[in-house]
């Protein structure tokens, strides 16, 4: 297994819409392994393939990875939110925008249809933090950052700070 480089804002690859995985072959399995390793190393609670430069719909999540010793890895291939309800507000950061956090409004409960590495369909019904992380990571597959979800004024303030950090200083 190896640690992959995480792309940082404003890398244009992070704005691309990722493509569905057609066949779960050895290179997808290897990517899943390396993404998990990269996520635990960061450490982070979730990672989407476009964040490591792969333009495909693959995600790893482990909300226990920061606090607990017990690992509880979730691998999502071609995930799709099929229903949602309610709302929640909570703090989010992003491995591709290091050093910045903001409160983001998300759906509270979501139902996600996904595939596992065997190609079987799995339905996840999640709420609270796991639901939040899944929504954040699925957004990455569509080229969306957490700050895109903020109200206009709050978004402009944060994006200006982020640009100062990652764009202007270069
Ligand atoms: Zn992120």
């Amino acid at each position: 297994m190896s640690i992959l480089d995480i792309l940082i804002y404003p890398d244009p690859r992070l704005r691309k819409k990722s493509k569905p995985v057609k066949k779960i072959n050895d290179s997808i399995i290897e990517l899943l392994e390396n993404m998990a390793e990269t996520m635990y190393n960061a450490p982070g609670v979730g990672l989407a393939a476009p964040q490591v430069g792969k333009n495909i719909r693959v995600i790893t999540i482990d909300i226990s990875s920061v606090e607990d010793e017990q690992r509880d890895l979730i691998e999502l291939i071609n995930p799709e939110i099929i229903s949602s309800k309610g709302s929640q507000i909570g703090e989010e950061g992003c491995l591709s925008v290091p050093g910045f956090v903001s409160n983001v409004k998300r759906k509270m409960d979501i139902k996600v249809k996904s595939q596992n590495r065997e190609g079987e369909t799995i339905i996840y019904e999640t709420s609270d933090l796991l639901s939040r992380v899944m929504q954040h990571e699925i957004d990455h597959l569509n080229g969306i950052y957490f700050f895109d979800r903020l109200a206009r004024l709050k978004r402009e303030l944060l994006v200006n700070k982020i640009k100062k950090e990652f764009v202007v200083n270069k």
Side-chain angles (χ1 to χ4, degrees), residues 46-48 51 93-97 136-137 140 144-146:
L47 190 66
Q51 291 181 279
C94 181
L95 294 176
S96 294
V97 194
H136 177 115
E137 300 308 332
H140 276 302
I144 297 168
Y145 289 95
F146 71 98

